[in-house]
Structures are given as C-alpha cells and as structure tokens.
Amino acid sequence: MTAVVHAFRRGEWRTSLDTAALPGTGGAAYGLALVPEIVAHADRRWWDTARATLPPLTGRRELLAEAVELFGRGTVAVGGVGAQDADDFRAALWNTAGLPGPLVDRWCAILREGLPKRDGEPVPDDRLSLVALPGNTFTCLDSVLDQAERSGAVWVRPSRREPLSAARLVAALLAVGWPAARIGLYPGEQRALHGLLRLADRRIVYGGAGLAASVRDADSLILHGPGRGCALVPPGMPVEAAVDWLLPLIAADSGRFCRNVRTVICTDPAQSRALASSLAAALDAIPPDPAARDWPLTVFRDAETAHRALRSIQERMRPGDRLLTRRDPVTEVDGAPCVLPGLVLLQAYEGHPLVGHEVPFPFAAVLTVTPGTVRAITAESLFVHRPAKRGPA
C-alpha cells in the first residue's frame, strides 16, 4: 500500500496498527487506518473533558459552505495521503471505488447546492453525534454537515468501501478553520459500529436491509435504510412518454440512490409488456462510458461485489419472469467489471422478492398488479414516483 488514509481523532490525524486495504487499480493503492473499539471508548472520555474547554463556535453555516466549496474544487491535506486537489480526488475515487468523474461532479454539486436550501440555522448543543456512512454515494455527507451545524462534535464512520470522500470532507473542514476537537473520522470493522453507536448521543446510520435490522433498536437513532423506490404508471400513458419519464428515475446516479426506481407498477397487462420491452431497449442503449454526461455508470474494483449483486437478482427470479435487457450483464471498463442496467418483467407479484430489491447499479422490475396490490407495494416504499399531471394545452 502506498498511502494509508489516517483516522482523525483527538484533534489529530493518526495512523493505526490495524489497517484495511482498499480495492484499486491505476497506480496508487490505498489502505485505511482502523480505530479499535477500545480506543474509541477512550476518545469519548477525552471528549467529555475537552468539550467544557471549547469556546462557542459561531458562523457555522458560513464555514460549512466554505468547506463544501473546497471539498469539490480545492486542494486539502488529507492525513496519510497529503495534498489532494480536485483532480487527485476524482482519480482516487475512480481507481478505488469506480466512481466516474461526471458522477463525482454531480454529487459535489448536490452537496454544494443543498446547503443554502436548509431551513433556519439550528441552535447548537454539546452532544456528540455519530454519522455512519454508506459506500454507494458520498452525497450522504450532507448528514455530516447537518450534524456539524447542530452538535458539539460529530464523529464520522466512513464506509470501508469508500472512505476517501469522508476523509476529504474532514480535511476541508479543518482547512477552513473548523475546530479540530469538534470533528472525528473513525473508520472501523463492521462489528465495531455497534460500539460506536453506544458511545454517541445522537446517531445517524445509513445501510442496507441487514445493517438496518441490526441497529433498529438503538436510542436516538435516525436510520436511512432501503428506499424501495417504485413508480406508478397510469393506465393509458403512452409508452414513449412513460420511457422518457422512467429512464432517469432508474438510471440516474448509476442507480445508487435510495430514491431510484426499483419497481415499475402497471395495472394493464398489455401496457406492462409494451412498456417493459421499450424500457429495456432504452436501458440497453446506455453506454458503459465513464465520461458519459447523461447516465455515467460505475465500475466495481471489487469484482466479487459486482457478481454478488448480479446473483442476488438471478436467485430471486421465479419461473415465468423474463430478463428483457439483451446485453451481457457485465462488461469490462478500465480492467474492472461494469454491471450494465437490467430490467426484468415479472410474471406475478405474490410477494415477489425482486419488488423493491436494491442493487448498486440501475435495475428495475416491471409488473402488473391490481389496485389493491398497488397500495400494498407503495406502503413499503419510501419513494413513490408518479408522473406530473399536465394541464390543458
């Protein structure tokens, strides 16, 4: 490993005897310093002593805006990595997490544009917040910004699949003058998460269904689990219009957001079949080009993750289901697997395991159901998409 991303604790970048390798190609290989649970416990005791000596932090919203600007476009000093400019950051994310530059640009813009849209500034307290991040997108750093504005301190637990964005945000905050004692970066083993949850006063956790189930009973917890996004296609909606509406809902952000559509619901069987065929053709036309501006696709530096996600679809298909996308599901880009968008037409609902199923690439299931079943599906979805009603011409 040529660079080990450090933890940030007790106001300093620190290495560790425990490290984990990150997947990567294209030159630099990265590792990640891990914080043992016993060390985190000692740091909580340190924070309880240190917070009484800290002066009030004013102008938080302005500092956060400066940090987000620096995060997307500037040069910062990341512990263990050194000076990292915007191009270095994009190259590192591509080489380790398979995130293409256009997607990184879009996600940086989402963070930058979201800050001014917040409601009134909260009154900060002296609580210690923990934000446990996912590996699918770094736009969830918005929760770090939110907790930094309202808490005494915030500890960030990055995903081991993609810790570089969290480390860069910590570096950006420090660069604009954020007090070092009020921010922490605590990478760790999956089993250490529950220990961190016990140490924090306020907890924000992102994760899939398995993680969500394991932490659901924690106190003072905001849980961001699977979104199970679905789209309701009105009877009589022209197929071409429906495809134009659905394609970005499925393919935007390489299918990695919890609000992406996973299930397309029709009540007319003929409409369902025609729409599924045309939508599959549109998904097949998306190129596996990391420079694509419209729907850039990610690659998987960890090939097993890609194949495991594909198997999760294949294992959930039932007799009579039809895979309508025609390309081979995986192609190679820059020496790594790129999973291409997929679409399955389901034979019947009956609690089908592909309904709402989330994978880290564009994928949707199309099915025909009764109006009563529509209500059952939407009740389990956090994101229910309906086409905008058009007024008279």
Side-chain angles (χ1 to χ4, degrees):
M1 295 181 293
T2 61
V4 176
V5 180
H6 290 180
F8 190 82
R9 35 180 297 272
R10 297 198 187 195
E12 297 180 5
W13 291 104
R14 298 171 184 260
T15 188
S16 172
L17 295 177
D18 299 323
T19 60
L22 303 184
T25 63
Y30 289 87
L32 178 64
L34 305 178
V35 179
E37 189 172 341
I38 190 172
V39 172
H41 275 270
D43 288 356
R44 171 68 211 228
R45 293 192 294 272
W46 170 85
W47 163 248
D48 288 338
T49 300
R51 64 181 172 183
T53 68
L54 294 175
L57 176 58
T58 58
R60 295 190 184 207
R61 181 72 59 93
E62 291 76 13
L63 284 175
L64 292 174
E66 291 179 39
V68 170
E69 179 68 25
L70 195 59
F71 173 86
R73 297 170 172 164
T75 298
V76 298
V78 179
V81 176
Q84 182 191 68
D85 65 19
D87 289 338
D88 295 333
F89 176 51
R90 283 153 180 75
L93 286 183
W94 173 247
N95 290 330
T96 59
L99 300 180
L103 206 56
V104 175
D105 291 342
R106 169 172 160 78
W107 292 355
C108 286
I110 288 174
L111 286 174
R112 190 167 54 246
E113 294 163 4
L115 199 60
K117 297 176 182 177
R118 293 182 185 275
D119 294 332
E121 297 184 31
V123 177
D125 55 36
D126 64 353
R127 302 176 78 183
L128 173 63
S129 293
L130 172 73
V131 180
L133 294 167
N136 58 314
T137 169
F138 63 75
T139 57
C140 298
L141 289 170
D142 180 69
S143 287
V144 177
L145 301 175
D146 177 66
Q147 292 305 311
E149 190 170 21
R150 69 179 62 247
S151 305
V154 57
W155 289 2
V156 185
R157 193 258 187 191
S159 165
R160 282 182 50 182
R161 287 184 290 142
E162 197 287 276
L164 297 175
S165 57
R168 182 172 172 85
L169 181 61
V170 169
L173 285 166
L174 296 170
V176 301
W178 199 268
R182 293 186 181 275
I183 188 71
L185 183 70
Y186 282 78
E189 300 281 1
Q190 181 68 34
R191 62 178 180 270
L193 174 58
H194 294 273
L196 285 174
L197 289 173
R198 289 191 294 270
L199 294 176
D201 303 314
R202 185 184 290 126
R203 308 154 180 88
I204 296 87
V205 178
Y206 292 83
L211 175 60
S214 71
V215 302
R216 195 176 303 277
D217 295 331
D219 294 332
S220 302
L221 172 70
I222 298 174
L223 175 63
H224 298 277
R228 298 177 63 89
C230 65
L232 309 183
V233 182
M237 186 178 189
V239 167
E240 183 177 349
V243 170
D244 289 343
W245 170 57
L246 289 167
L247 186 62
L249 294 176
I250 297 169
D253 301 294
S254 199
R256 291 195 167 207
F257 280 14
C258 57
R259 63 174 175 262
N260 279 110
V261 164
R262 318 292 175 174
T263 311
V264 178
I265 304 169
C266 302
T267 56
D268 177 354
Q271 179 192 42
S272 179
R273 291 190 295 270
L275 174 58
S277 179
S278 294
L279 186 55
L283 291 170
D284 273 335
I286 295 175
D289 178 5
R293 301 302 308 186
D294 289 336
W295 320 121
L297 299 177
T298 56
V299 302
F300 290 78
R301 297 303 180 186
D302 174 10
E304 175 54 30
T305 299
H307 294 294
R308 185 167 57 247
L310 271 176
R311 286 196 302 271
S312 75
I313 293 172
Q314 297 159 354
E315 291 166 357
R316 285 168 170 79
M317 291 181 66
R318 293 174 173 175
D321 295 341
R322 295 167 56 202
L323 178 66
L324 296 186
T325 38
R326 297 184 177 277
R327 292 184 291 184
D328 288 339
V330 180
T331 190
E332 187 173 287
V333 175
D334 192 31
C338 173
V339 182
L340 300 176
L343 184 137
V344 171
L345 178 62
L346 305 186
Q347 173 74 9
Y349 171 56
E350 297 175 355
H352 200 297
L354 277 179
V355 172
H357 181 57
E358 297 190 3
V359 286
F361 54 86
F363 171 80
V366 179
L367 74 161
T368 308
V369 297
T370 65
T373 302
V374 170
R375 290 189 290 273
I377 295 174
T378 57
E380 296 183 351
S381 175
L382 296 179
F383 300 93
V384 180
H385 301 269
R386 297 175 175 85
K389 293 183 179 179
R390 303 179 62 181

